Amino acid sequence: MHAVLPAPADHVVHDGPSGLLAAGPWRLTSAAPVLATVERTVRDLFDPHLGARLVPAGSAQQAAEIRLELDASVPARRRALGVAPDGTSGPADEAYAVSVRNGAIVCRGRTPAGVFRAATTALHLIALTEPDDTLVAQEFTDAPHYAWRGLLLDTARHFVPLAEMLRLIDLAALYKINVLHLHLTDNEGWRIEIPSLPALTAGSAGSGFYTVDEYRALQEYAASRHIVLVPEIDLPGHCAALRAALPGLPPAPAPPGLAGRFPYTPPLDLADAGTREVVRTILADVCASTDGPFVHIGGDEAVGITAQGFATAVRELRAMVRELGKRPLAWQESSRAGIEPRDIAQFWVDPEMMDLPDTEEELAQRPDLAGAGFNGAFLAALKWFFAPSADDAQRVLDGGGMLLLSPQSHLYLDRRYAPEVAPSGRTEQAATLGFPSYRPRSVRYIAGWDPRSHALPEERVAGVEATLFAENLRDFEELATLLLPRLASVASIAWSGSPDPWERHRRMLGRHSRLWRERDLPFFPATDVDWA
């Protein structure tokens, strides 16, 4: 039984073996000149797993072939739903086919992206088969359900250096993720160089930021793996780092009675001409250095701004990004500023998803919240603040926009692992790693999420994006442990459009620990997964 993830929709096994030993050796080839870059990238991606089993380019050594081919006859199967992150709207550009027959593995796609997706399927097939086993003759064909399949990484709160980020891009590519969303700015840090405003990163030498050259290098590396980078400049709230670097910007008008109730950083006032000039300068530099068509403007949790001030801010931010030649994306709260048909709002929360207790007795039964210092007054304030989120999705639908699905309940991978799935010796890690105010969950719970459960018209879903915010992350090991194994499950749902049956998925997922070990990637060995 193969362990390819995402599991291909169509898998046909033919009678008899293919004559191919998983041990190889293997020769990677491509005939079409347009696939030269794909071949180089695939070779790099295969290297940690096949090593000497993959013969060097140009070697005369006898070896079985892994052949990359462009083939317009690959079945489209379906048009990917949602928004293509590279700005195109063509059907089935990632459709692929893999055949294991006649002494070769042939990876075919309608486009170079499809060929690359086929190659990652072939890698799973070879690397997750015991080296002394013979591959059976078989064929896979598939295409994605959602065109946008993303991963958000919070580099503002925990900076991820370039070398570590490249490792994460490779991991994303292994599971057919095609968007890397970088949360680059927040209260805790500003992580992208703005040449026109060097003060924004002047104090970040020790904590880190991406220079313009590093940002371009990230985009090029991701693009070679058919991943589009989307930068996020989170405004008008979450702006403490910006205010510290550029003091003197006036606060946005605050709702009456808010002052003194609890501390917050005043959001930016985009009605102020000087603030608009600063923000436009920032966005101009970001848009100029971004290859992809999207720039995320934030728009979430703008505590301490009037409804009118928030609406003005979001409209100004959208207009600036459009004028600078990019397409704006924002969190779901942006719907309160109005929605037009081309707008995309990233859906992450509703009151039910907040999962907050109603009484002191219920709070006492939630050690995750009590341990984080929650009390009745703070819970009441949170419920009041998030109450409007109940209507955000409908506002987007009513305005003709689209929703990018990132529900906190399942796709926020900074959620702690449930104590009941913690293996021996990892109980403390399960209890401390991750955001403390989310209810801990098992891997099965995350892997069981169904996009259809939100009862949204499928044609209005832009795609699916997992997130990993970093309020309390300390290092790369913790980051990878929160991602794995859950990222592989979410990526499978995003590609297939629905969850796999759990018993099959848990067996397949367990075999992928071999890939992570070969890449020296830490993971959480939850006991609800059947580890090989």
Side-chain angles (χ1 to χ4, degrees):
M1 180 65 184
H2 75 80
V4 174
L5 288 177
D10 296 320
H11 178 218
V12 178
V13 176
H14 300 287
D15 292 337
S18 66
L20 295 171
L21 278 174
W26 297 96
R27 181 188 315 284
L28 182 66
T29 66
S30 63
V34 72
L35 294 179
T37 298
V38 173
E39 182 182 338
R40 287 193 298 271
T41 304
V42 168
R43 183 174 292 277
D44 288 345
L45 201 63
F46 279 26
D47 183 65
H49 309 289
L50 300 188
R53 296 156 66 186
L54 188 64
V55 303
S59 170
Q61 180 182 346
Q62 187 81 11
E65 212 174 5
I66 304 170
R67 196 160 62 246
L68 310 179
E69 294 183 354
L70 279 176
D71 186 350
S73 70
V74 169
R77 291 195 70 255
R78 59 193 173 207
R79 179 185 177 127
L81 296 174
V83 177
D86 62 358
T88 64
S89 57
D93 66 334
E94 295 175 281
Y96 76 82
V98 174
S99 64
V100 185
R101 303 186 77 172
N102 303 322
I105 297 180
V106 182
C107 303
R108 297 179 294 129
R110 297 160 63 89
T111 64
V115 175
F116 184 77
R117 306 299 178 213
T120 61
T121 298
L123 173 60
H124 290 191
L125 184 64
I126 298 168
L128 298 178
T129 299
E130 293 302 321
D132 56 354
D133 284 351
T134 301
L135 299 173
V136 300
Q138 56 193 307
E139 295 182 34
F140 303 91
T141 56
D142 206 3
H145 187 84
Y146 290 113
W148 185 299
R149 305 177 306 281
L151 169 64
L152 178 152
L153 293 174
D154 176 7
T155 63
R157 296 181 178 96
H158 173 73
F159 181 67
V160 183
L162 182 64
E164 293 178 357
M165 189 64 76
L166 300 185
R167 295 176 66 192
L168 295 172
I169 290 172
D170 281 342
L171 174 65
L174 285 179
Y175 294 101
K176 300 180 172 63
I177 288 170
N178 65 349
V179 176
L180 177 62
H181 172 173
L182 293 185
H183 186 76
L184 293 164
T185 72
D186 212 299
N187 291 325
E188 295 80 358
W190 190 281
R191 307 300 184 188
I192 185 168
E193 180 186 13
I194 305 297
S196 301
L197 292 170
L200 286 167
T201 49
S204 301
S207 54
F209 64 93
Y210 303 113
T211 66
V212 170
D213 287 344
E214 288 174 326
Y215 181 63
R216 290 199 179 279
L218 269 177
Q219 293 180 91
E220 291 170 6
Y221 192 87
S224 71
R225 284 140 180 83
H226 298 274
I227 294 173
V228 176
L229 194 147
V230 175
E232 180 183 351
I233 306 299
D234 195 359
L235 298 173
H238 291 274
C239 60
L242 186 153
R243 285 194 173 281
L246 303 173
L249 298 175
L258 188 66
R261 291 180 61 186
F262 52 87
Y264 65 92
T265 298
L268 297 185
D269 181 10
L270 270 294
D272 173 69
T275 301
R276 284 200 307 275
E277 182 179 354
V278 166
V279 171
R280 184 178 179 84
T281 298
I282 291 168
L283 291 176
D285 278 6
V286 171
C287 289
S289 59
T290 297
D291 298 329
F294 291 93
V295 169
H296 201 299
I297 58 172
D300 65 315
E301 299 179 326
V303 180
I305 190 171
T306 63
Q308 182 56 51
F310 179 72
T312 297
V314 170
R315 291 168 188 160
E316 288 286 350
L317 291 165
R318 285 180 185 152
M320 289 178 190
V321 169
R322 290 189 181 111
E323 289 166 7
L324 292 164
K326 300 297 181 182
R327 187 171 172 185
L329 178 69
W331 294 101
Q332 68 183 66
E333 292 96 320
S334 64
S335 64
R336 302 167 205 174
I339 285 286
E340 297 179 2
R342 279 181 56 81
D343 289 334
I344 302 173
Q346 191 162 0
F347 173 70
W348 69 281
V349 72
D350 58 32
E352 182 179 357
M353 213 179 293
M354 289 297 294
D355 193 22
L356 296 174
D358 293 317
T359 65
E360 292 288 348
E361 291 75 18
E362 290 178 1
L363 176 59
Q365 298 171 16
R366 290 286 302 277
D368 51 317
L369 297 181
F374 282 46
N375 57 38
F378 185 59
L379 286 172
L382 275 179
K383 290 182 178 182
W384 173 82
F385 182 74
F386 283 101
S389 66
D391 301 314
D392 285 339
Q394 191 59 51
R395 273 189 279 266
V396 175
L397 297 179
D398 290 345
M402 300 188 76
L403 289 155
L404 176 61
L405 299 184
S406 297
Q408 178 203 85
S409 57
H410 292 81
L411 269 58
Y412 271 44
L413 301 185
D414 47 326
R415 183 179 296 273
R416 290 176 174 174
Y417 290 95
E420 62 267 22
V421 302
S424 177
R426 304 292 282 269
T427 303
E428 182 179 355
Q429 186 180 46
T432 58
L433 180 57
F435 195 58
S437 55
Y438 296 155
R439 190 190 295 268
R441 296 293 189 183
S442 65
V443 176
R444 180 176 187 173
Y445 178 86
I446 302 302
W449 175 66
D450 192 334
R452 297 169 297 188
S453 67
H454 299 279
L456 298 168
E458 279 223 302
E459 69 275 10
R460 306 293 290 282
V461 175
V464 168
E465 187 168 287
T467 78
L468 181 56
F469 286 98
E471 280 88 348
N472 59 355
L473 280 188
R474 295 176 298 181
D475 53 35
F476 182 81
E477 180 174 355
E478 290 189 345
L479 189 159
T481 302
L482 285 173
L483 285 178
L484 295 172
R486 299 179 293 187
L487 180 64
S489 298
V490 175
S492 294
I493 296 166
W495 176 275
S496 304
S498 60
D500 287 339
W502 173 244
E503 288 306 316
R504 180 179 78 160
H505 184 72
R506 70 189 291 262
R507 291 193 299 270
M508 295 170 68
L509 184 61
R511 290 168 65 181
H512 281 247
S513 62
R514 178 183 298 180
L515 299 183
W516 309 331
R517 289 189 179 99
E518 288 168 348
R519 290 188 167 272
D520 194 25
L521 291 171
F523 65 96
F524 190 80
T527 58
D528 55 346
V529 177
D530 187 9
W531 300 105

